[in-house]
Amino acid sequence: MITILLVDDEPLLRLGFRLVLESQPDLTVVGEAADGGAAVARTAELDPDVVLMDVRMPGVDGITATREIVRGSPRSRVLILTTFDVDEYAFPGLKAGASGFLLKNVPPDDLLTAIRAVARGDAVVAPTVTRRLLDTVADRLPDPAPDGGPPTARGLHRLTERELEVLEKVAAGLSNAEIAGELALSEATVKTHVGRILGKLELRDRVQAVVLAYETGLVRPR
């Protein structure tokens, strides 16, 4: 059974999410919170597998709450829900340690799939949303170098040429199967490369790999 904490300042939205989630035999909502401060406290109390986190809330916002949860309750994974048209906080949320993000109008089946993936320790980064959000926050990202030279190292020198290629594809939002197709590799080989990349760069998951790739200038928003 996957345990979930719902965090949103809108009671009706929490009710709607609860109805969808508890219709599934393997999901259960163990608690709710209406702001980030309560989310941090409830996570410490309930130790949920997944925290569904709103971003814009009164008091402590979702980004700050995510950062505190990742630091104080690292077993609980945070999945950020954002309204893209008015909310540009998903990228900072990923930097804070969230395991992924979705739009609030995501189809129910996609939400359920994402929760199960995050609970397994995977990351959920929708390719189209990733590109749009990174375009939105492009001015916050550093240039590769003042003179336009190579990207900042931050451990990238530890990667082989093939691993750098795979990291670029991961940063573009491609799945292991898609990367395998583009690089003429088996999906198992791609999975091995991704695991080695995360290990060498001391990253938690694919989301952090995407953030690092953009922060270092290895890839740039298109």
Side-chain angles (χ1 to χ4, degrees):
M1 183 69 71
I2 298 172
T3 56
I4 302 163
L5 175 68
L6 295 177
V7 184
D8 198 294
D9 61 335
E10 294 288 344
L12 286 178
L13 281 177
R14 295 199 306 270
L15 175 60
F17 284 126
R18 179 183 282 272
L19 291 174
V20 170
L21 300 177
E22 294 198 331
S23 69
Q24 303 299 303
D26 61 330
L27 305 179
T28 184
V29 176
V30 294
E32 299 183 10
D35 61 70
V40 175
R42 294 289 277 166
T43 300
E45 172 191 353
L46 300 171
D47 191 32
D49 297 310
V50 178
V51 179
L52 280 186
M53 180 71 74
D54 187 20
V55 175
R56 302 181 69 175
M57 296 178 289
V60 178
D61 62 56
I63 305 302
T64 302
T66 295
R67 187 177 299 109
E68 293 187 17
I69 288 171
V70 169
R71 181 172 58 245
S73 304
R75 198 195 72 80
S76 298
R77 298 289 181 126
V78 179
L79 177 57
I80 286 180
L81 299 176
T82 177
T83 303
F84 179 79
D85 289 340
V86 297
D87 194 342
E88 299 173 1
Y89 297 110
F91 185 74
L94 298 180
K95 290 180 66 176
S99 292
F101 64 86
L102 293 173
L103 299 182
K104 280 190 176 181
N105 63 356
V106 65
D109 286 347
D110 290 351
L111 174 63
L112 298 173
T113 298
I115 290 172
R116 293 181 178 113
V118 167
R120 289 194 305 268
D122 294 333
V124 179
V125 184
T128 55
V129 178
T130 300
R131 296 184 186 112
R132 289 171 63 188
L133 282 169
L134 288 170
D135 285 342
T136 300
V137 300
D139 59 338
R140 305 180 195 176
L141 299 174
D143 291 327
D147 59 358
T152 306
R154 282 195 53 187
L156 294 183
H157 63 281
R158 302 176 193 150
L159 304 184
T160 66
E161 184 176 345
R162 177 61 84 183
E163 287 166 350
L164 283 171
E165 287 182 308
V166 171
L167 178 55
E168 289 178 5
K169 301 298 183 183
V170 169
L174 273 63
S175 67
N176 285 354
E178 291 168 333
I179 295 172
E182 290 205 4
L183 299 181
L185 301 171
S186 71
E187 192 169 345
T189 298
V190 172
K191 184 176 181 180
T192 298
H193 282 312
V194 172
R196 288 175 178 167
I197 290 167
L198 298 181
K200 288 181 179 181
L201 300 180
E202 299 179 356
L203 301 174
R204 181 181 181 184
D205 52 35
R206 293 171 76 102
V207 172
Q208 291 191 342
V210 172
V211 172
L212 182 139
Y214 280 88
E215 284 189 325
T216 58
L218 179 65
V219 293
R220 300 292 299 168
R222 289 181 294 182

